[in-house]
Amino acid sequence: MPWTNLFVERKEPPFDQDEGKDLRKISFAEAIREALDQALERDKRVFVMGQGVDAPGGLWGTTLDLHKKHGAKRVFDVPLSENALTGVAIGAALVGMRPVFVHNRPDFILLSMDQIVNHAAKWSYMFGGKVKVPMVIRSVICRGWGSAAQHSQALHSLFMHIPGLRLVMPSTAYDAKGLLISSIVDENPVIFLEHRWLFKHTGYVPTGLYSIPFGKGAVRKEGNDVTIIGISHMAVEAIRAAAELQKEGIDAEVIDLRTLKPLDTGIILESLKKTGRLIIADVGWKTGGVGAEISAIAAECGFADLKAPILRIGCLDTPTPSSYVLEEEFYPGVDDIVQAARQLLKK
Amino acid sequence: MPKTGIPGKKLIELYKSMLKIRKVELRIEELYSQDEMKTPVHLCIGQEATSAGVCACLKKEDYVFTNHRGHGHYLAKGGDLKAFISELYCKEAGCSRGRGGSMHLIDERVGLLGASAIVGGSIPIAVGAALGSVFQKKKSVSAVFFGDAAAEQGVLYESLNYAALKKLPVIFVCENNFYSVFSNLKSRQVKDNIYLRAKVFSMPAHRVDGTNVMDVYSTCAKAVKYARSGKGPVFMECRVYRWRKHVGPGSDIELGYRSEKELDSWLKKCPVNTFKERLLKTKLLNAKKIHSIDKELDSEISEAFEYAQKCALPDKKEALKYLFHEKDDYALD
């Protein structure tokens, strides 16, 4: 489909660049594929399932030809029975396998909320830790090209609300590979969300296997005037906004949380202590969203450090419209972050 | 009396298994009013033959998944009695460490891998365990118990399709007791033909008298053999009746949603007593043997209740424990 090539950003974010002999530049999508490839290679318990994982395009390249390399028994297409197939993944995990279930849109995950929320998230606690459910649910979220309301949601706030789930949202190729490996290695159900606009971003990624600990955010740019927390693709937008703001003499600190559950509250509060101002830029809706949760944490634990009101940036509280004019209004971006920072710094 | 083809030893085992379930349920019912078992109990009195008959066909390495009315399945699969009763008493020594209660029993050591209180919820999970078994070349089969209302859930049909498509070793056991809380099957489903719906997925599907433990056992034994040989899943609709309320001790016949006549007709088909009569007639049992089995079970049950009552409650400080399985670090294995 044309939009897969057209609306993807090509500007490279200026971070995680590190020259080294085992590093090379690959795309976010290639990093995902490499993590799956190496996990399948290393661990016979791992298998990858989902609609189209063995299709010619390989889900934006993230599963490309893995079925040819690792066999159709380990990388396989599934019927469109999202709820049952999620249960199938849970059952396989319970008896010692490591399933990775891929959804090419998060909207389809809603059909499997019973198995995710009532079963996967609860099976460890509800049975006193006697069994575990090590599984990964991967999904490609957000923007396409006029994809409208049912092919473009983020939905991470729904998962953040549920005890028993890990929630991972990488924004760089390096993190995508390392965090996906951590997700497969983890002993619990993990929701792993990949923003579609990140797929063609490139970054330096080690050739070997590596994992990134959950619950450790990254400071993408240091600054003293305002803290900007970016979720998923908004971390990239936040870095761009920070560069704009620098020209105006506003020194912004940019934080990429990388995982929302567990959440690195330490990195948020520490930054707030320094800047006294907080902006949270999310790829989802504002109401009842991740920004609300982070705001509450900042108010509860960092109130004394606040010099200004906390500002949240998110999608309009409507279903995603399809016309590009309305889409531009719906999705937040660099300009919204810049505006918010100016407002806080009264410039 | 026609020969059953089931060895005498197995018949006694089936009797004991059913009787144990009946006695445990009656004891729970008797003591429930003391308000020490602070968890809603869905008693399976009247449905013992399905648990006993199906589980007697399974090996320890086979998996069982169950539902909110799962006491019988747990016991028949060999689940630990003390851990079960302790769970009802909300104790840390409970099979789910006081985090699950009556509706969420587990004994992973005997392959009972959990119970869902969402109708139909554990069906796909059982299919997944069967898939895992195939991956691991283990030859374990996976049996799942669910009620007639699960046949109103989409997830059953999704699961039947997938298990049949991949020829997975699953035994689907529908215990059709005709009621979903107060609603009769007739008010919920077009036809009383649950097993026929499974046939559409090209799998063997049987309707069985769920009060006759020999019928259940014989049908399930063939089903397990079929599934274990790699031919695919089998479906069993066992027709049973819930003697007690949907939840809690005692009868609810006074509410009028079902007739006394209907209940009486099923009481006459008591799975435990009719089978006992048969064993007496065939001389596999006699008064002395019955007495010794009673005594043995009664003392085991009393011991379990005494144990559970004495056990410690969970530590409040550990309310967060078991949410996640922690790894010390994320270093690769």
Side-chain angles (χ1 to χ4, degrees):
Chain A
M1 283 189 280
W3 43 261
T4 49
N5 295 321
L6 204 66
F7 251 63
V8 174
E9 289 166 303
R10 297 178 198 285
K11 279 185 236 162
E12 287 161 19
F15 47 80
D16 73 65
Q17 293 181 3
D18 186 14
E19 299 288 348
K21 69 176 165 57
D22 294 325
L23 289 171
R24 79 260 109 97
K25 228 171 190 191
I26 59 173
S27 73
F28 188 98
E30 286 165 338
I32 296 276
R33 186 193 176 277
E34 192 166 274
L36 292 174
D37 183 22
Q38 292 178 357
L40 284 159
E41 187 74 48
R42 186 176 180 115
D43 189 344
K44 292 289 161 217
R45 299 171 302 175
V46 175
F47 64 88
V48 179
M49 59 193 272
Q51 188 207 352
V53 294
D54 56 357
L59 295 180
W60 293 276
T62 64
T63 59
L64 189 65
D65 291 339
L66 289 176
H67 63 294
K68 290 182 187 161
K69 185 169 176 191
H70 299 283
K73 282 190 174 163
R74 295 183 69 205
V75 180
F76 53 93
D77 201 8
V78 296
L80 295 196
S81 308
E82 288 85 355
N83 199 35
L85 268 300
T86 304
V88 166
I90 295 170
L94 274 175
V95 301
M97 301 300 291
R98 301 252 155 183
V100 179
F101 190 4
V102 191
H103 297 270
N104 56 30
R105 295 287 188 283
D107 319 74
F108 309 153
I109 298 183
L110 291 172
L111 292 159
S112 56
M113 284 303 254
D114 171 52
Q115 284 299 320
I116 295 173
V117 178
N118 282 325
H119 297 86
K122 298 188 174 37
W123 222 254
S124 169
Y125 190 86
M126 192 161 79
F127 297 110
K130 296 280 177 78
V131 285
K132 59 189 179 188
V133 184
M135 64 184 280
V136 182
I137 296 171
R138 264 190 61 201
S139 183
V140 181
I141 64 167
C142 297
R143 306 182 82 156
W145 185 22
S147 298
Q150 297 175 334
H151 274 56
S152 64
Q153 299 172 79
L155 304 176
H156 48 300
S157 305
L158 300 184
F159 300 112
M160 196 178 184
H161 187 59
I162 307 301
L165 298 176
R166 309 279 204 200
L167 180 54
V168 181
M169 294 180 80
S171 78
T172 70
Y174 176 85
D175 282 1
K177 182 176 173 186
L179 285 171
L180 184 52
I181 294 293
S182 300
S183 302
I184 293 168
V185 170
D186 195 68
E187 306 287 350
N188 307 285
V190 180
I191 309 289
F192 190 95
L193 302 180
E194 306 147 23
H195 194 292
R196 201 186 318 175
W197 275 19
L198 293 169
F199 277 163
K200 295 219 168 172
H201 284 193
T202 56
Y204 285 94
V205 175
T207 52
L209 268 179
Y210 63 96
S211 63
I212 297 170
F214 288 163
K216 292 217 165 105
V219 177
R220 298 295 185 201
K221 177 194 170 294
E222 288 192 19
N224 291 306
D225 295 337
V226 56
T227 301
I228 305 169
I229 294 175
I231 313 292
S232 183
H233 184 258
M234 287 306 271
V236 177
E237 297 287 80
I239 289 165
R240 291 176 184 148
E244 285 294 309
L245 291 164
Q246 204 77 53
K247 291 178 201 159
E248 301 173 19
I250 297 175
D251 187 22
E253 177 145 303
V254 177
I255 291 173
D256 179 354
L257 291 169
R258 301 153 119 199
T259 67
L260 294 181
K261 249 190 171 175
L263 182 68
D264 189 351
T265 50
I267 202 170
I268 300 168
L269 295 172
E270 215 167 288
S271 181
L272 185 59
K273 196 168 280 220
K274 187 164 65 169
T275 65
R277 297 177 187 89
L278 182 60
I279 296 168
I280 305 132
D282 192 10
V283 290
W285 293 297
K286 202 161 128 176
T287 304
V290 171
E293 179 61 30
I294 294 170
S295 302
I297 291 169
E300 278 173 354
C301 312
F303 189 72
D305 298 318
L306 282 169
K307 294 179 199 159
I310 300 165
L311 293 183
R312 288 176 290 158
I313 293 166
C315 297
L316 277 188
D317 277 325
T318 64
T320 315
S322 72
S323 165
Y324 57 88
V325 179
L326 299 173
E327 239 187 1
E328 283 313 308
E329 188 61 21
F330 176 81
Y331 287 111
V334 182
D335 294 346
D336 300 277
I337 302 173
V338 170
Q339 290 276 351
R342 283 182 191 145
Q343 187 187 327
L344 287 184
L345 274 300
K346 305 265 187 262
K347 286 198 180 182
Chain B
M1 191 154 292
K3 288 231 174 224
T4 61
I6 306 170
K9 207 177 142 192
K10 199 68 172 180
L11 292 171
I12 298 291
E13 189 191 304
L14 288 167
Y15 172 68
K16 278 191 183 171
S17 177
M18 279 197 294
L19 188 62
K20 183 170 175 177
I21 298 166
R22 173 67 59 89
K23 281 176 177 286
V24 169
E25 294 288 71
L26 288 174
R27 188 75 64 92
I28 293 167
E29 188 171 46
E30 181 195 329
L31 300 177
Y32 198 70
S33 62
Q34 293 180 347
D35 284 345
E36 286 176 25
M37 288 177 262
K38 297 179 197 298
T39 176
V41 287
H42 299 75
L43 302 174
C44 67
I45 297 171
Q47 304 187 185
E48 296 88 347
T50 46
S51 297
V54 168
C55 292
C57 302
L58 301 175
K59 296 180 185 171
K60 194 178 164 190
E61 303 76 42
D62 293 328
Y63 305 118
V64 165
F65 291 84
T66 166
N67 59 2
H68 58 286
R69 199 176 304 285
H71 297 177
H73 313 137
Y74 174 96
L75 290 171
K77 187 65 172 67
D80 186 84
L81 180 61
K82 284 182 178 168
F84 164 33
I85 304 303
S86 301
E87 189 61 32
L88 299 185
Y89 278 88
C90 309
K91 302 297 179 73
E92 183 70 21
C95 57
S96 301
R97 297 195 166 109
R99 271 81 172 169
S102 160
M103 294 191 283
H104 304 297
L105 303 177
I106 193 164
D107 193 337
E108 74 289 358
R109 291 162 305 182
V110 296
L112 191 117
L113 293 186
S116 173
I118 305 297
V119 169
S122 53
I123 298 172
I125 302 179
V127 175
L131 177 69
S133 161
V134 171
F135 262 117
Q136 296 158 345
K137 300 186 170 65
K138 267 189 181 165
K139 297 258 169 210
S140 291
V141 307
S142 186
V144 56
F145 291 94
F146 50 92
D148 43 291
E152 291 147 34
Q153 298 277 20
V155 76
L156 172 65
Y157 303 99
E158 293 184 5
S159 301
L160 290 173
N161 177 56
Y162 195 66
L165 182 73
K166 299 284 169 179
K167 294 197 185 320
L168 298 175
V170 185
I171 314 293
F172 294 95
V173 186
C174 176
E175 292 179 287
N176 180 1
N177 69 14
F178 304 94
Y179 286 91
S180 173
V181 194
F182 301 124
S183 310
N184 189 277
L185 187 70
K186 281 182 197 150
S187 70
R188 297 178 283 120
Q189 299 182 22
V190 179
K191 271 195 167 183
D192 175 10
N193 64 354
I194 292 172
Y195 79 109
L196 288 181
R197 297 175 220 166
K199 281 203 170 168
V200 176
F201 294 93
S202 302
M203 69 176 79
H206 311 281
R207 177 175 271 178
V208 185
D209 176 0
T211 65
N212 184 330
V213 75
M214 292 173 297
D215 272 9
V216 176
Y217 176 82
S218 305
T219 308
C220 191
K222 278 182 224 144
V224 169
K225 201 174 160 194
Y226 180 90
R228 211 187 295 285
S229 71
K231 288 182 182 157
V234 181
F235 192 96
M236 292 170 63
E237 177 195 341
C238 304
R239 294 162 82 81
V240 292
Y241 199 73
R242 153 166 68 80
W243 289 11
R244 298 299 197 260
K245 292 174 180 173
H246 163 65
V247 58
S251 165
D252 60 0
I253 205 74
E254 73 284 358
L255 297 177
Y257 70 95
R258 49 183 184 172
S259 72
E260 215 155 324
K261 198 177 143 200
E262 181 183 280
L263 174 62
D264 283 344
S265 73
W266 286 94
L267 292 177
K268 286 195 190 93
K269 292 169 65 172
C270 171
V272 184
N273 284 338
T274 53
F275 190 53
K276 181 163 85 174
E277 293 305 323
R278 186 190 169 96
L279 295 183
L280 279 167
K281 272 185 201 155
T282 54
K283 313 266 190 237
L284 274 167
L285 275 183
N286 55 40
K288 201 178 146 196
K289 257 191 182 166
I290 287 173
H291 179 70
S292 93
I293 291 170
D294 277 341
K295 217 176 127 182
E296 184 195 330
L297 288 175
D298 288 342
S299 100
E300 187 191 348
I301 293 164
S302 297
E303 204 184 312
F305 274 82
E306 280 160 29
Y307 171 85
Q309 286 158 350
K310 278 185 214 152
C311 276
L313 287 161
D315 183 347
K316 282 183 188 176
K317 290 187 207 104
E318 293 190 339
L320 280 172
K321 208 170 167 183
Y322 309 122
L323 183 59
F324 291 111
H325 282 257
E326 296 297 345
K327 260 182 126 63
D328 292 341
D329 54 52
Y330 288 86
L332 296 160
D333 293 330

